[in-house]
Amino acid sequence: MRMKRIALFFVLLIPAFILAQSPEKLINKGEYDRAIVVCVEKLQNGKGKKHELYSGLKRAYETANYNDRNKITELKASGKPEIWFDVFMTYDAMQKRFMTVRSIESQLAEDQVNIELKDHSKDLEVSRQNAAAYLYAHAVSL
């Protein structure tokens, strides 16, 4: 019985801890995806100052995508075939980020927040196919 209470306590404590963190602190630590999730959840729940949350959301989203685009550019510039799995995983992170922010798209439009959302599903599919082709060829060679 006591063990169940402790487990329940931790299950309830973890989401509260995540939501209690400031998006600004998460951004300063470089945890952009967590900052985006926190901002979106707080905006959906109507908690916090909208202006600060939108500002943090925009900063985290744009910085994370900028970093990921640079990573993809560097990987592609290497010309190595083994990069495609990393490219795929990076596009996957960008697509998940897009879907998270898109969940409040109507709120963004209503409050006239200018965040440039880009769907990466086509790039994700191309990189998935290239990664699968490389991994298959690599497996055959082994």
Side-chain angles (χ1 to χ4, degrees):
M1 183 67 138
R2 180 181 165 101
M3 207 56 175
K4 287 182 182 178
R5 286 184 183 172
I6 292 172
L8 180 62
F9 175 73
F10 282 112
V11 167
L12 295 175
L13 181 68
I14 291 172
F17 178 72
I18 289 172
L19 288 176
Q21 291 199 345
S22 160
E24 196 62 36
K25 287 181 183 177
L26 291 170
I27 291 169
N28 291 337
K29 289 182 192 176
E31 297 181 30
Y32 305 112
D33 289 322
R34 280 191 50 206
I36 291 168
V37 169
V38 168
C39 287
V40 167
E41 287 179 357
K42 286 185 176 186
L43 285 166
Q44 287 173 333
N45 296 332
K47 296 180 179 177
K49 297 178 182 175
K50 277 188 171 185
H51 177 71
E52 289 177 12
L53 291 173
Y54 284 133
S55 173
L57 177 63
K58 181 175 179 151
R59 185 170 157 216
Y61 183 80
E62 290 175 352
T63 304
N65 280 343
Y66 176 80
N67 292 342
D68 285 347
R69 282 191 303 273
N70 285 342
K71 179 180 178 181
I72 290 169
T73 301
E74 288 175 15
L75 287 168
K76 287 181 177 180
S78 74
K80 298 178 182 176
E82 63 267 13
I83 58 135
W84 286 107
F85 184 74
D86 290 334
V87 171
F88 168 73
M89 294 304 292
T90 306
Y91 275 126
D92 185 53
M94 292 173 79
Q95 185 66 13
K96 286 178 182 172
R97 197 175 300 129
F98 164 75
M99 295 303 289
T100 300
V101 175
R102 187 174 176 206
S103 69
I104 61 164
E105 189 172 27
S106 62
Q107 211 173 340
L108 294 173
E110 182 180 306
D111 292 335
Q112 298 179 351
V113 178
N114 187 20
I115 297 177
E116 185 180 327
L117 297 176
K118 182 177 187 274
D119 187 357
H120 298 281
S121 56
K122 291 178 184 175
D123 298 323
L124 182 64
E125 181 59 26
V126 169
S127 63
R128 184 191 65 78
Q129 290 173 356
N130 289 338
Y134 168 74
L135 292 172
Y136 179 77
H138 184 68
V140 168
S141 71
L142 293 175

